[in-house]
Amino acid sequence: MSFFLLFCVVTAATCLLLACPVHTNQIEYCDKKASYQVTVKGVEINPNPIERGQPATFKISAITGGDINKGKLVIDVKYFGMHIHQETLDLCKETSCPVSTGDFRLSHQQTLPSFTPPGSYTLIMKILGEEDKQLTCFNFDFSIGFTEPDWILVY
């Protein structure tokens, strides 16, 4: 195989990988001994790494052992282990409610400010049902890429 052909194949494969959403399987439950009603199958982050100032989508595939009529998501974010952000979202705005027993998917889109520091982050998510009953608690890591801020001029 010629160098040029090998270069084209590697470049095309890299472009395909960069254009596709990335699935993270590094999910850890907050309490490894707990028997949660909701179990998480996977997390998809697009783009990954996340780009500052650009929309990022988090899709979470899960299974519930019982119907969920209403609830909320409590999201905590840590940057190199330090707590930096918390928000609470209506579960029914992130998925269709009621959620029937079986598979379901949560989808949340967020645009991080352009001044967000690059690096490694941990997202901790709790899904709470009626009367704030904890249905699951898990975490996963994600990265924010090292890109030039809009205000840097390049000559």
Side-chain angles (χ1 to χ4, degrees):
M1 183 181 294
S2 74
F3 176 77
F4 178 74
L5 181 58
L6 180 62
F7 175 77
C8 289
V9 169
V10 170
T11 302
T14 302
C15 290
L16 285 173
L17 285 173
L18 292 175
C20 295
V22 175
H23 298 271
T24 178
N25 293 323
Q26 301 300 322
I27 298 163
E28 292 184 19
Y29 289 98
C30 302
D31 181 352
K32 293 174 180 54
K33 296 178 183 175
S35 178
Y36 293 117
Q37 178 179 326
V38 174
T39 55
V40 178
K41 297 191 309 184
V43 175
E44 180 182 310
I45 304 168
N46 190 20
N48 193 357
I50 294 169
E51 298 174 26
R52 299 178 287 178
Q54 300 296 317
T57 303
F58 295 84
K59 294 181 181 176
I60 298 160
S61 301
I63 302 170
T64 179
D67 293 349
I68 305 170
N69 295 314
K70 64 180 185 175
K72 56 188 171 184
L73 306 175
V74 179
I75 298 171
D76 286 298
V77 180
K78 292 184 178 182
Y79 179 60
F80 289 109
M82 272 187 349
H83 182 266
I84 59 164
H85 178 74
Q86 182 179 49
E87 66 183 302
T88 301
L89 305 168
D90 182 344
L91 175 69
C92 297
K93 290 186 178 175
E94 308 301 322
T95 192
S96 298
C97 283
V99 178
S100 299
T101 301
D103 292 351
F104 72 101
R105 186 174 213 152
L106 298 169
S107 183
H108 179 69
Q109 187 176 66
Q110 183 131 14
T111 301
L112 300 176
S114 59
F115 58 82
T116 303
S120 297
Y121 290 77
T122 300
L123 187 143
I124 302 151
M125 180 181 288
K126 294 178 186 174
I127 300 178
L128 305 177
E130 294 182 48
E131 299 180 18
D132 288 342
K133 177 186 175 195
Q134 185 169 290
L135 304 178
T136 196
C137 178
F138 63 97
N139 66 72
F140 59 90
D141 295 330
F142 67 95
S143 296
I144 296 179
F146 290 87
T147 58
E148 290 182 5
D150 296 336
W151 51 267
I152 292 181
L153 299 175
V154 179
Y155 294 98

